[in-house]
Amino acid sequence: MIDDRTTRRSVLTALGGLGFSGTGTMVGRTSAATDSRGNDLQRSDPSVHPDELEAFVDDVLAERIGTTTPGAVVAVVSGDTPLLTKGYGVADVDSGEQVRADETMFRVGSVGKLVTYTAVMKGVERGVLDLDVDVNTYLDDSEVAVPDTYEAPVTLRHLGTHTAGFESTLDPGIISDPAALDSLEKVLTDQQPSRIRPPGELVGYSNYGAALAGHVVAESHDTAFEEFLQSEIFGPLGMSFSSFAQPISNSHPGELAAPHVRGDGSFIVADDVYINMRPAGSLSSTATDMATFMRAHLGGGAIGDQRVLDPETIDTMHSRHHLRHPAVTNWRYGFHEYGSSDANLIAHSGATVNFTSYMLLAPDQNVGIFVAFNSNPSEGPKAVVDEIVTELDLQHAPSTPIPTSRPGSQKRAETVAGEYSLTYLPQSGPLQVVDLLEHLTVEPAANGHLQTTTLEGDARQWVETEPYVYEEVGGHDVLAFEVTDGEVDLLKMSSEPTGVYQPIPFHERQLVTGGVLGTVLSGFGLSLAGWGGRSTWRQLKQYRTDNGSGVEGSE
């Protein structure tokens, strides 16, 4: 049973492995620090010499291999040129097999959603699909049907920006026995969440929505989802080691890395798990194949004479499709924005219980970065991506926020004070513990500034730069409040593009819920064991042992 000794981070890290992949608190914020090794690579010249880049990444991974993760892969590309594709550490601690960039496959989790949404855009380009048509239009021959809860229908644009308004369930159909895998159609029918808000209004990250998008692609082309990807994306691009299939066939080239958890000071091989909502996160791939995928996106949809999308379609996919707030990160199609608002960096994270990954594209500098671990630590691949972003000068260093000259800062700071909850987290049932652990407390500080804290004690300072917009001191993060008649409607944070914060009533705040946290965590543990099987449950217990005491995400 889980008790109050379970840390906040350990619970969220274990949960993060269950197919959820977001950003911000759950995946680690954009690094605010300047790398101590120096920053010799100029924004105008991201085509650093491969030897220099390799030496830098070697140093970064040397700090993590054997401690943070047993193995990793890194791919960095500049336009059509792979600057670095390299494996680090071991693919399996039992066999000692080394990670190889071109043959060792990692489960990349929700980074695979980018492939799914690329497939959607393939259908749009052909005229088979339309981003703004009711998805039910494409489901006439399917048992899946989205109910008409609201007047406005759910569209593919909503699915690609996580604004369909589905209730959050987090679980993408995690199972421990591959024999229990169902058809995508059955999973989408049996596990359909309620529609709880009109589409297009708020972001609420949805594995179900991504899986539904994949199903629409398959139905509109009268084929299986995996077969469409093979014939239209993997085959043409030569991504022969990539597959959404589960389990990986013995005839498939390459070898799948083993998942790992922390043992008594070392890593041990964990049981594998499988994802029923396959378009949402069952992709396995190598660093070399993911480099190819990034090159295609940066190359206007083609590598050499092999084209999967037209340049105009790539531009459309990389353009903004949903505006949360002008001052914070927003959504492209399938990608969310990353870091500084003027850097034009787009990204996505991924995890599948004991694998984690992160992909970032810098279209202006023609650079792509992919990192994956065969473990699910609290500091995952995004931290490595952050360091590479800094080294390649892909965004400016944090500047000192300039306070607004508009009067009333202190009153506005008092207006927004309170506690907030994220839209993508469950609000009821045993899994509501995740919502409780993610409550953000906002307090007024001197001179109209703000301080935010989390249950784990993460405190940050913010300066109001325009009314109700606050920039982080020493970082790239931004808070933007929407206020009507002196009451906060929403809080939007750059480092949390996968959802928005809503004010919560007093009786749900941590001061009240803290006393019952142990009971809620116990229920959460039982539910988690039911969803994910032995692997997830063992992982969660191991994190408790490793992290010690104190209630304290991941993707």
Side-chain angles (χ1 to χ4, degrees):
M1 178 174 290
I2 301 177
D3 57 33
D4 285 348
R5 293 177 301 161
T6 308
T7 68
R8 170 184 181 273
R9 185 167 298 281
S10 65
V11 172
L12 293 174
T13 299
L15 178 67
L18 302 182
F20 173 79
S21 65
T23 52
T25 305
M26 282 202 169
V27 299
R29 296 180 205 87
T30 304
S31 173
T34 301
D35 194 273
S36 61
R37 299 174 181 85
N39 193 350
D40 298 324
L41 311 175
Q42 299 302 311
R43 174 185 288 244
S44 60
D45 183 21
S47 55
V48 58
H49 193 282
D51 289 345
E52 296 178 32
L53 178 63
E54 182 174 10
F56 173 79
V57 174
D58 285 353
D59 287 346
V60 171
L61 267 296
E63 301 170 359
R64 293 169 168 86
I65 296 300
T67 54
T68 301
T69 184
V73 286
V74 176
V76 183
V77 303
S78 178
D80 192 41
T81 304
L83 296 179
L84 175 68
T85 53
K86 189 170 182 177
Y88 295 85
V90 295
D92 185 323
V93 296
D94 289 345
S95 68
E97 181 182 355
Q98 297 295 299
V99 174
R100 292 168 292 177
D102 58 345
E103 293 187 16
T104 306
M105 294 176 290
F106 281 62
R107 295 196 185 279
V108 304
S110 288
V111 167
K113 287 182 173 71
L114 300 177
V115 179
T116 297
Y117 290 122
T118 299
V120 170
M121 295 306 297
K122 183 74 173 179
V124 171
E125 181 177 282
R126 287 176 169 167
V128 175
L129 298 175
D130 188 309
L131 292 180
D132 297 311
V133 168
D134 185 343
V135 294
N136 284 325
T137 303
Y138 308 110
L139 301 173
D140 287 343
D141 297 326
S142 172
E143 293 183 6
V144 182
V146 178
D148 58 353
T149 310
Y150 300 95
E151 181 178 356
V154 171
T155 69
L156 285 166
R157 193 183 304 275
H158 298 139
L159 299 183
T161 57
H162 299 276
T163 58
F166 291 123
E167 182 177 17
S168 174
T169 58
L170 294 185
D171 179 15
I174 296 288
I175 59 174
S176 58
D177 182 2
L181 286 166
D182 290 318
S183 70
L184 182 55
E185 183 175 56
K186 178 174 173 54
V187 172
L188 292 172
T189 303
D190 293 349
Q191 300 186 32
Q192 186 176 75
S194 300
R195 296 180 65 188
I196 61 172
R197 66 178 69 92
E201 289 193 355
L202 299 178
V203 173
Y205 191 86
S206 175
N207 284 303
Y208 183 90
L212 179 58
H215 185 56
V216 167
V217 169
E219 288 293 301
S220 63
H221 291 85
D222 195 25
T223 187
F225 174 72
E226 291 87 349
E227 291 175 2
F228 181 87
L229 293 182
Q230 181 58 44
S231 64
E232 302 296 334
I233 296 178
F234 296 152
L237 293 179
M239 296 173 62
S240 58
F241 289 84
S242 299
S243 177
F244 276 79
Q246 300 173 111
I248 297 294
S249 169
N250 290 333
S251 63
H252 192 81
E255 190 76 23
L256 183 65
H260 295 83
V261 294
R262 291 289 296 182
D264 295 329
S266 62
F267 289 97
I268 59 176
V269 174
D271 297 330
D272 209 350
V273 298
Y274 306 92
I275 297 175
N276 254 322
M277 295 184 187
R278 293 179 282 287
S282 71
L283 176 64
S284 298
S285 188
T286 63
T288 302
D289 273 8
M290 296 311 288
T292 297
F293 181 74
M294 294 189 294
R295 289 164 56 205
H297 265 268
L298 294 170
I303 293 180
D305 59 358
Q306 295 299 312
R307 178 169 297 283
V308 293
L309 289 176
D310 291 337
E312 295 81 5
T313 307
I314 288 288
D315 288 344
T316 297
M317 189 172 180
H318 292 178
S319 66
R320 185 174 290 169
H321 287 256
H322 177 76
L323 181 71
R324 298 195 301 149
H325 188 283
V328 303
T329 49
N330 294 289
W331 277 86
R332 313 297 175 88
Y333 196 73
F335 293 88
H336 61 72
E337 296 168 358
Y338 163 109
S340 174
S341 60
D342 63 356
N344 191 30
L345 303 178
I346 57 179
H348 209 293
S349 59
T352 58
V353 180
N354 294 313
F355 287 92
T356 44
S357 64
Y358 203 88
M359 178 181 287
L360 176 140
L361 299 181
D364 292 348
Q365 294 90 355
N366 224 17
V367 170
I369 304 168
F370 170 77
V371 179
F373 292 172
N374 54 349
S375 65
N376 193 343
S378 58
E379 183 189 68
K382 184 179 183 295
V384 177
V385 173
D386 289 342
E387 292 203 47
I388 297 173
V389 165
T390 299
E391 181 70 3
L392 295 180
D393 195 22
L394 298 180
Q395 67 177 348
H396 62 72
S399 57
T400 301
I402 300 175
T404 179
S405 59
R406 298 277 294 276
S409 289
Q410 193 63 36
K411 182 178 180 180
R412 289 190 292 271
E414 293 168 357
T415 295
V416 302
E419 284 195 24
Y420 295 83
S421 172
L422 280 164
T423 54
Y424 63 69
L425 299 177
Q427 303 297 305
S428 61
L431 293 183
Q432 69 179 306
V433 65
V434 186
D435 174 59
L436 299 178
L437 295 175
E438 281 294 280
H439 282 186
L440 181 74
T441 300
V442 178
E443 298 174 295
N447 303 316
H449 298 180
L450 294 181
Q451 175 174 291
T452 60
T453 55
T454 63
L455 194 58
E456 69 179 323
D458 176 19
R460 294 194 283 163
Q461 308 298 318
W462 309 80
V463 174
E464 188 183 40
T465 55
E466 58 182 274
Y468 295 117
V469 174
Y470 299 79
E471 294 185 12
E472 180 188 11
V473 176
H476 290 107
D477 217 347
V478 177
L479 301 178
F481 295 85
E482 293 183 3
V483 179
T484 303
D485 297 329
E487 298 289 335
V488 178
D489 299 318
L490 298 169
L491 162 57
K492 299 174 181 180
M493 180 185 290
S494 273
S495 61
E496 287 285 4
T498 50
V500 299
Y501 286 93
Q502 298 173 307
I504 57 177
F506 178 79
H507 70 276
E508 293 181 14
R509 296 183 181 181
Q510 291 166 3
L511 290 176
V512 178
T513 59
V516 298
L517 192 58
T519 301
V520 179
L521 282 168
S522 298
F524 169 72
L526 294 175
S527 174
L528 187 62
W531 298 355
R534 298 191 309 275
S535 175
T536 306
W537 183 236
R538 182 175 67 186
Q539 180 195 44
L540 187 55
K541 290 192 294 183
Q542 187 61 55
Y543 276 124
R544 179 185 62 183
T545 303
D546 288 350
N547 288 338
S549 61
V551 176
E552 303 223 277
S554 176
E555 294 148 297

